[in-house]
Amino acid sequence: MDVTTDIQFLPGMGPKRADLLKTELAIHTIEDLLAYYPYKYIDRSRFYFVQEINPDLAHIQVKGKLRNIKKTGQGRNQRLSAMLYDSTGQVELIWFQGIRFVKDKLKVNVDYVVFGRPSVYKNFYTIAHPEIIPANPQNEQKQLGWQAHYNTSEKMKKHFLNAAAIRTIIYEALKLVQQNIPETLPDYLLQQYHLMPLREALVQIHFPKNADLLKRAQHRLKFEELFYIQLSILRQSKYRELKFKGFVFPKIGNFFNTFFKEHLPFSLTGAQKRVLKEIRQHVGSGKQMNRLLQGDVGSGKTLVALLSMLMALDNGYQACLMAPTEILATQHFETFRELLQKMDVQIALLTGSTKKAEREIIHEALRSGNLQILIGTHALIEDVVVFKNLGFVVIDEQHRFGVAQRAKLWGKNTQPPHVLVMTATPIPRTLAMTVYGDLEVSVIDEMPPGRKAIQTYHYFDSKRIAMLSFLKKQVEAGRQIYIVYPLIQESEKIDLRNLEEGYVFFKEHLPNYKISMVHGKMKPKEKDDEMKRFSSGETQLMVATTVIEVGVNVPNASVMVIESAERFGLSQLHQLRGRVGRGAAQSYCILLTPVKITTETRKRMDILVKSNDGFEISEVDLQMRGPGDMDGTSQSGMPFELKIANLAQDQHLLTLGRKTAMEILETDPSLEAQINSILLFQLKKKTKNSINWSVIS
Ligand code: ADP
Ligand code: MG
């Protein structure tokens, strides 16, 4: 038997339970089983004396003998009790269920280890339904110390696969294969970082001797996981670097210079300049660029995109910009057209609703090279869209696009074009390093001058009426207002009802104003028309679901009211808030929640009231919710899933893992060296089920 053995061959397992582990937890081999790490530990390293029991202890473990084992009551009132005593006193053990089964196991004059939650009854301590096992060395080794607890499903529990059963199975498995567990990290790394060998780490993670050894085991396993993720990502990007030469943009020419000198509507912020320099350097280097441009809402990413695209034009290439929605694509198109109106640049918009005739003209102009800049939605990546010489791609609001779509854009030329991915959902560094680990990161961390920070307030629903007079004042002053409702995905009906009730409420209470309403169920054309009525100032209020979340730009809107704010994620709230504060006027964001909210929600509202900094907010989001749940990111970009490391808590280990991976790849990019053979082997094994996007294009 070794780690590759099927779990069904473990003693005492049986085909039924093995099947359950396979279907419920995808545990097939002993190796999978050993990598099923506990989610928590309970300290069962010591025995208490009966005398020490007090009601504050959540759990207690005592050792002693039994007397007075007796069954009392009838039918449903039946109970089984026994007195457990040690040298200091006695405590009552009590069972209401499974009585016959338990009774057969209990004997007087035998030492037992008992574990459970004590409660007081008439000055007397009882432990109901305790865990009870005969005190012998084997049991103690298996059950004592820091006891591991495992997640199990209801279905598993029904078939006696509870945490204790899993513990036993793992115990048996370890006993059988421990000597045959192959090391998964090279010796030199174990030495360099004083890491616990895998063999010992697996024993300690499931059956920790003490807190210190547990910590060391966790450290080793987390490091390994994060290190391999980084190694995988970085090796792929090295590979890409070797395989694809990037287009070289050696010069800055007329397009860029004319625009910069004559048509730039304002001077760039320091951050915009710095980022442009980073991009310029990259596209001039001969390496293909895959860069993530992070910048808070309103930080001026669009201008950076435009200037970068002009660099491409200067070097004889075409450029395109892809946005997630039609509204956004159109908005970008209009912004670009206005900025470029005095220049001789051919630019077009391509979306799902572009008419066939126009579409064909665009396709032709792209192929001939007459069209220099194309802006659009997903329609851009369709196969019929063929460029003469695409050199630069901008993707706005990255999180709506998958890695696969990015790969598709790479395929639009003989060599992949440079790619700039823009996101207004700031991602904490650690997350960027994993989810987008193959992207280099540029950050715009400075707002254009003259912006007034948005003032944010958290009100309970009960203050809604009072809020109205504030809204009135704003509209009287010529401002416009958004009122946003959460999108409830499971039930579009409720979603609409909330929205419609809201519409009626505001219609009733603010009868003198015109109200627009936009939601996801509307046809794109209706939506667009309604958006236009609002952005042209024809309507003063916009009642909407989150369709307005990204990119929409109405500088005259100065108030964002968010209904049921507790239903939104932190980053999403921050995004929504970013729809105001785009003009010169002081802007406001009002978060409405019920009076009864969880401490969590309270914390989320507080951070928004306190901070306007997207990075600070995303960091809090990561700490509070964990990486898997964060807005705007999914772990889909990761080469494999994390089992033990936590991106929120293990940032330093991630950094260490990345640094280590870089150092190794620096000297041995394809991992051919003998000392790195373990690395190559493990990498292949770990990523065998994931897709290598770098070779798809
Ligand atoms: P985002 O980063 O959210 O995409 P935009 O590019 O839409 O932000 O810019 C937000 C607003 O700020 C736009 O109206 C834009 O014209 C303006 N803007 C961008 N850069 C500057 C600058 N350097 N100085 C002043 N205003 C700027
Ligand atoms: Mg934008």
Side-chain angles (χ1 to χ4, degrees):
M1 251 190 208
D2 60 35
V3 292
T4 64
T5 305
D6 192 306
I7 47 166
Q8 79 177 63
F9 301 116
L10 279 170
M13 171 69 86
K16 180 113 207 190
R17 296 206 296 174
D19 266 358
L20 262 180
L21 285 174
K22 285 175 195 177
T23 52
E24 295 284 288
L25 300 175
I27 293 173
H28 297 272
T29 62
I30 292 184
E31 186 169 36
D32 297 338
L33 179 70
L34 296 181
Y36 191 60
Y37 303 125
Y39 75 96
K40 72 165 183 190
Y41 297 87
I42 290 178
D43 182 4
R44 291 185 63 176
S45 57
R46 67 161 286 200
F47 293 108
Y48 287 79
F49 288 114
V50 169
Q51 209 176 28
E52 290 178 281
I53 300 182
N54 74 65
D56 295 337
L57 292 167
H59 292 99
I60 185 133
Q61 173 163 274
V62 280
K63 196 169 172 176
K65 291 188 169 59
L66 299 179
R67 62 184 172 217
N68 285 353
I69 305 173
K70 62 174 188 232
K71 227 167 77 178
T72 54
Q74 287 296 320
R76 291 184 53 192
N77 291 326
Q78 224 178 41
R79 60 168 64 184
L80 173 72
S81 65
M83 300 306 284
L84 176 93
Y85 64 97
D86 63 11
S87 58
T88 68
Q90 60 178 357
V91 55
E92 184 181 31
L93 310 181
I94 197 157
W95 288 266
F96 305 100
Q97 276 159 15
I99 291 176
R100 198 174 338 142
F101 178 71
V102 179
K103 187 165 190 292
D104 290 346
K105 289 203 306 191
L106 302 184
K107 295 187 177 65
V108 291
N109 285 328
V110 178
D111 275 318
Y112 286 100
V113 172
V114 168
F115 175 80
R117 181 188 298 271
S119 56
V120 211
Y121 181 68
K122 290 186 185 159
N123 279 333
F124 205 78
Y125 284 104
T126 4
I127 304 178
H129 287 269
E131 254 182 58
I132 178 162
I133 52 170
N136 62 44
Q138 206 202 336
N139 277 340
E140 289 185 20
Q141 191 186 352
K142 199 162 67 185
Q143 305 284 17
L144 305 191
W146 283 69
Q147 192 183 64
H149 284 250
Y150 301 86
N151 282 314
T152 57
S153 66
E154 280 311 310
K155 202 163 163 194
M156 289 167 61
K157 279 186 195 129
K158 265 195 207 126
H159 292 85
F160 304 106
L161 268 172
N162 55 13
I166 291 183
R167 204 181 302 130
T168 305
I169 293 170
I170 291 179
Y171 182 81
E172 294 302 328
L174 273 172
K175 214 163 63 179
L176 286 165
V177 303
Q178 198 193 336
Q179 295 317 311
N180 295 329
I181 297 175
E183 181 53 57
T184 47
L185 284 173
D187 215 30
Y188 68 88
L189 284 184
L190 297 185
Q191 305 281 340
Q192 188 179 347
Y193 296 122
H194 309 288
L195 299 171
M196 191 182 259
L198 182 64
R199 231 169 258 183
E200 198 189 339
L202 286 176
V203 172
Q204 293 302 331
I205 206 79
H206 294 291
F207 301 97
K209 269 220 187 68
N210 57 47
D212 184 50
L213 286 172
L214 173 59
K215 220 180 195 165
R216 288 195 53 208
Q218 286 170 326
H219 179 82
R220 136 109 215 189
L221 294 169
K222 286 176 174 188
F223 172 83
E224 170 171 1
E225 207 166 64
L226 295 168
F227 164 72
Y228 272 113
I229 282 194
Q230 290 303 318
L231 193 67
S232 167
I233 291 170
L234 293 170
R235 181 159 165 269
Q236 268 187 34
S237 62
K238 274 246 153 111
Y239 170 83
R240 228 174 29 220
E241 216 176 285
L242 291 174
K243 180 169 169 195
F244 305 120
K245 293 278 152 284
F247 296 123
V248 190
F249 298 176
K251 64 170 192 228
I252 291 287
N254 266 336
F255 287 112
F256 187 100
N257 283 330
T258 309
F259 180 78
F260 195 84
K261 287 187 194 122
E262 294 168 29
H263 307 300
L264 198 63
F266 21 62
S267 49
L268 296 178
T269 62
Q272 283 171 320
K273 280 187 203 153
R274 190 190 67 237
V275 166
L276 270 171
K277 216 180 260 171
E278 285 164 6
I279 293 170
R280 160 106 179 88
Q281 242 161 34
H282 206 147
V283 297
S285 71
K287 284 183 185 165
Q288 189 238 345
M289 181 177 86
N290 284 292
R291 184 172 289 271
L292 182 69
L293 175 57
Q294 294 195 29
D296 225 330
V297 197
S299 60
K301 295 184 291 294
T302 316
L303 212 52
V304 170
L306 175 57
L307 281 159
S308 312
M309 288 161 99
L310 293 177
M311 288 181 204
L313 267 51
D314 276 336
N315 290 277
Y317 294 93
Q318 292 163 298
C320 71
L321 183 154
M322 185 159 81
T325 65
E326 193 154 335
I327 295 179
L328 274 178
T330 310
Q331 212 163 69
H332 275 309
F333 175 66
E334 272 155 17
T335 308
F336 273 42
R337 207 166 46 175
E338 200 180 307
L339 287 168
L340 295 173
Q341 62 182 327
K342 301 233 172 67
M343 290 182 56
D344 187 19
V345 175
Q346 297 308 308
I347 164 171
L349 174 70
L350 181 69
T351 70
S353 52
T354 307
K355 298 269 175 328
K356 188 156 176 273
E358 199 187 335
R359 188 179 290 255
E360 273 162 12
I361 296 173
I362 291 175
H363 288 171
E364 178 46 39
L366 277 177
R367 254 177 311 208
S368 71
N370 283 342
L371 189 56
Q372 292 152 300
I373 293 180
L374 181 63
I375 294 179
T377 54
H378 282 79
L380 289 189
I381 54 176
E382 284 170 16
D383 289 334
V384 288
V385 181
V386 180
F387 292 81
K388 177 161 188 252
N389 197 8
L390 180 64
F392 200 95
V393 173
V394 178
I395 303 177
D396 195 14
E397 309 293 353
Q398 150 78 7
H399 58 282
R400 313 237 159 163
F401 291 103
V403 188
Q405 287 157 324
R406 198 161 17 112
K408 212 150 175 201
L409 280 165
W410 290 343
K412 293 265 174 208
N413 205 341
T414 47
Q415 276 171 236
H418 298 297
V419 179
L420 183 69
V421 171
M422 304 197 292
T423 174
T425 311
I427 300 155
R429 239 174 77 78
T430 32
L431 211 55
M433 277 199 294
T434 24
V435 183
Y436 304 118
D438 60 332
L439 302 183
E440 303 203 31
V441 178
S442 287
V443 177
I444 304 187
D445 51 4
E446 180 187 352
M447 284 292 182
R451 290 284 162 80
K452 295 199 180 77
I454 301 166
Q455 290 177 20
T456 301
Y457 301 94
H458 171 209
Y459 289 148
F460 294 128
D461 286 333
S462 48
K463 275 195 129 179
R464 188 185 307 268
I465 297 287
M467 178 182 82
L468 287 171
S469 65
F470 171 73
L471 298 187
K472 257 188 218 156
K473 263 192 220 131
Q474 287 288 309
V475 181
E476 306 285 272
R479 304 279 102 78
Q480 287 165 288
I481 294 168
Y482 292 105
I483 298 142
V484 175
Y485 291 80
L487 195 84
I488 304 159
Q489 253 147 2
E490 314 90 70
S491 129
E492 273 153 12
K493 283 215 184 84
I494 295 185
D495 164 25
L496 269 186
R497 203 185 65 213
N498 287 343
L499 190 73
E500 276 158 7
E501 278 171 13
Y503 180 82
V504 170
F505 175 87
F506 286 104
K507 191 103 215 141
E508 207 173 286
H509 287 85
L510 301 171
N512 298 330
Y513 307 135
K514 293 213 186 79
I515 306 184
S516 281
M517 181 160 80
V518 169
H519 56 80
K521 294 268 107 178
M522 286 161 77
K523 297 214 174 69
K525 170 88 171 70
E526 290 175 297
K527 229 191 293 187
D528 265 17
D529 287 349
E530 215 42 54
M531 282 306 305
K532 276 193 198 116
R533 276 178 9 109
F534 185 67
S535 60
S536 70
E538 194 185 324
T539 54
Q540 290 84 48
L541 270 71
M542 164 61 80
V543 175
T545 51
T546 43
V547 285
I548 60 148
E549 182 186 339
V550 275
V552 174
N553 194 13
V554 181
N556 191 49
S558 66
V559 185
M560 169 64 65
V561 178
I562 304 176
E563 297 268 5
S564 308
E566 77 281 1
R567 297 246 184 90
F568 292 89
L570 253 185
S571 304
Q572 207 184 3
L573 288 169
H574 180 63
Q575 280 273 319
L576 282 169
R577 174 168 64 177
R579 298 301 113 215
V580 296
R582 313 196 131 221
Q586 174 63 53
S587 290
Y588 305 88
C589 174
I590 300 174
L591 307 166
L592 289 170
T593 71
V595 179
K596 265 203 183 146
I597 45 173
T598 60
T599 349
E600 256 226 27
T601 302
R602 154 77 59 189
K603 247 180 159 173
R604 279 194 284 148
M605 299 304 126
D606 286 352
I607 175 83
L608 283 165
V609 169
K610 199 185 91 198
S611 171
N612 262 307
D613 177 346
F615 279 95
E616 187 182 350
I617 289 166
S618 76
E619 194 63 55
V620 174
D621 201 20
L622 178 63
Q623 299 298 339
M624 282 179 68
R625 306 212 290 158
D629 293 332
M630 271 190 61
D631 278 354
T633 59
S634 74
Q635 295 197 24
S636 60
M638 303 237 284
F640 43 86
E641 165 197 7
L642 293 178
K643 287 188 169 148
I644 188 166
N646 175 315
L647 294 179
Q649 286 153 21
D650 302 317
Q651 309 203 359
H652 66 288
L653 270 181
L654 178 65
T655 313
L656 183 68
R658 187 174 175 86
K659 182 179 140 264
T660 311
M662 270 177 184
E663 282 165 8
I664 292 172
L665 290 170
E666 199 59 47
T667 50
D668 186 13
S670 49
L671 302 176
E672 289 162 339
Q674 185 56 37
I675 52 162
N676 289 328
S677 59
I678 287 189
L679 296 179
L680 195 57
F681 178 77
Q682 288 300 323
L683 213 51
K684 280 191 178 146
K685 198 165 129 194
K686 283 175 200 279
T687 54
K688 73 171 181 286
N689 294 322
S690 67
I691 305 165
N692 181 353
W693 296 113
S694 71
V695 294
I696 278 192
S697 56

